[in-house]
Amino acid sequence: MQLKKEQPKNAALPLQKKSNWSLLLGAAFLMATSAIGPGFLTQTTVFTQQLAASFGFVILVSILLDIGAQLNIWRILVVSEKRAQDVANMVFPGLGYVLAFLIVLGGLAFNIGNIAGAGLGANVIFGVSPEMGALYSCVIAVAIFVVKEAGKLMDRFAQIMGFVMIGLTLYVVFTANPPVGEAAVKSFFPEKIDMLAIVTLVGGTVGGYITFAGGHRLLDGGVKGVQALPQVTKGAVSAIGIASIMRIFLFLAALGVVAQGLAIDPSNPPASVFQLAAGNIGYKLFGIVMWAAAITSVVGAAYTSVSFIRTLSSTINKYQKWVIIGFIVVSTLVFISIGKPIKILILVGAVNGLILPLSLGVMLVAAYKKSIVGDYKHPIWMTVFGAIVVVAMACMGGYTMFTQLPLLFK
């Protein structure tokens, strides 16, 4: 009689390739679509208007910084098999609570803008008021978390909306006819370098809650342990790739409009780009892109923000789904009563960039604590890469906080 070979006690069971890839893709799209929100659309358009083709350099630098941050954070979370706030508390007692507070506060601020963007998108598509559009969008976002298989539905929804946004924006790029050659050259040899733009883009892509959206989703889906690292690396890079493709397409669309000497409406820069590039059809396409970007960010921000406090409270952990729903409802009510100016979206992106040095720095320290990662050896080159991101973002973030951000509100 042949005995079945036992698995080592601490070894995770191998994941089926199909379901594993589906989960990794879902996590990648959740992170990417969490990044691609109303603030993302607004920031990209505003900075393209200011820097023209030289904004390509800002995008290139931000992509490198994004990859450095995301690779380190996702790998350490998966190896430690713990969420970021728990890792931070093990690095320094109480630090997890500080990190969770900052993440949730930033997530709530962003979500108010996200729900507002969903309302604006619905207004463009259907002609309803932004407030009513926000309410309808709130109902859709809440419905995702009411169903039993909320995680799978969230993954699928993020993937579909991601493809819709990229496809429609690519169409607008062709109609805008941007100077691609000039953009390519100035991406490496810019006429002007804007540190506020770099901090804002990195903050809007991997700052605050955003980079943890995919990492925490992997943990919830059971992707854990050293054996999962090759797939996690692919997922992390794919997530940055998806967000960056959308950023590049939007940049080229806006550059095409700017290069033609057309004036972008400061009250709604991205809508103006779509309309100037493709007429009324472009304006309707903007509505779809804005709604898709906003609603996926609403879902991602709520899910990730609550994931930061669920392990800190047994009550929140028990009623996680309802806390997420409450987070979405509160964001909607705040928008309906207050609203969201364009400048706030840029400000929140920059502030999220300031959170990144803390969150990434904590992960890098954790990578060398056996009590957290066991016998795992974090690659030296990845540590150096991450450390460069921490120092660069801390320096640029401090500079912009004290010199350039105040100018936004003059």
Side-chain angles (χ1 to χ4, degrees), residues 25-378:
L25 194 62
F29 268 93
L30 179 63
M31 176 268 151
T33 54
S34 292
I36 305 169
F40 181 102
L41 301 178
T42 301
Q43 295 155 10
T44 304
T45 308
V46 168
F47 288 127
T48 302
Q49 188 178 13
Q50 293 174 358
L51 302 173
S54 294
F55 185 56
F57 175 79
V58 173
I59 293 176
L60 180 61
V61 171
S62 70
I63 289 172
L64 294 174
L65 295 175
D66 292 343
I67 291 173
Q70 182 110 314
L71 270 178
N72 277 288
I73 289 173
W74 279 30
R75 286 173 66 96
I76 295 164
L77 289 179
V78 168
V79 169
S80 69
E81 302 184 13
K82 295 175 179 66
R83 291 175 181 80
Q85 67 273 21
D86 300 321
V87 171
N89 271 335
M90 292 181 73
V91 169
F92 189 85
L95 187 57
Y97 293 94
V98 174
L99 183 61
F101 173 77
L102 292 173
I103 295 289
V104 172
L105 192 64
L108 181 62
F110 247 123
N111 228 27
I112 295 166
N114 293 336
I115 203 72
L120 180 60
N123 167 258
V124 172
I125 300 167
F126 303 111
V128 299
S129 69
E131 290 77 14
M132 287 306 299
L135 281 174
Y136 296 146
S137 302
C138 173
V139 170
I140 292 171
V142 165
I144 290 174
F145 292 102
V146 170
V147 301
K148 188 176 180 181
E149 295 289 338
K152 290 182 180 178
L153 182 58
M154 181 173 64
D155 291 346
R156 183 62 60 192
F157 184 72
Q159 290 172 38
I160 293 171
M161 291 297 100
F163 282 121
V164 167
M165 286 187 284
I166 291 172
L168 294 181
T169 306
L170 180 59
Y171 168 77
V172 176
V173 170
F174 281 112
T175 60
N177 193 25
V180 177
E182 182 186 1
V185 170
K186 290 187 178 176
S187 291
F188 295 94
F189 305 101
E191 292 179 353
K192 180 182 178 183
I193 298 174
D194 190 326
M195 281 193 277
L196 173 60
I198 295 173
V199 172
T200 302
L201 258 64
V202 175
T205 307
V206 293
Y209 72 90
I210 299 170
T211 189
F212 297 102
H216 283 191
R217 176 70 190 111
L218 291 177
L219 293 178
D220 286 344
V223 177
K224 300 175 181 179
V226 176
Q227 72 284 345
L229 285 179
Q231 298 98 314
V232 170
T233 299
K234 289 179 184 176
V237 175
S238 297
I240 298 299
I242 294 164
S244 300
I245 287 170
M246 182 64 182
R247 178 86 76 185
I248 291 166
F249 286 171
L250 188 59
F251 158 59
L252 291 174
L255 183 62
V257 170
V258 170
Q260 294 175 49
L262 301 174
I264 294 176
D265 182 0
S267 66
N268 197 340
S272 181
V273 165
F274 276 65
Q275 189 167 31
L276 290 168
N280 289 331
I281 293 176
Y283 188 61
K284 289 294 182 183
L285 292 181
F286 161 75
I288 298 171
V289 170
M290 173 61 94
W291 187 84
I295 196 69
T296 49
S297 293
V298 167
V299 170
Y303 167 80
T304 311
S305 296
V306 174
S307 77
F308 262 87
I309 54 177
R310 60 178 289 195
T311 59
L312 303 179
S313 166
S314 57
T315 303
I316 292 175
N317 192 43
K318 183 179 179 181
Y319 298 104
Q320 177 196 7
K321 183 183 294 187
W322 298 106
V323 176
I324 292 173
I325 290 171
F327 192 91
I328 295 170
V329 171
V330 168
S331 301
T332 305
L333 294 176
V334 171
F335 160 65
I336 290 173
S337 60
I338 297 175
K340 64 112 182 118
I342 296 296
K343 289 180 179 178
I344 290 297
L345 287 173
I346 297 175
L347 173 65
V348 175
V351 171
N352 256 9
L354 292 174
I355 297 173
L356 181 61
L358 172 64
S359 59
L360 177 55
V362 168
M363 294 297 120
L364 292 176
V365 173
Y368 292 90
K369 284 187 171 287
K370 280 198 170 186
S371 58
I372 299 175
V373 298
D375 294 327
Y376 166 70
K377 302 294 183 185
H378 197 57

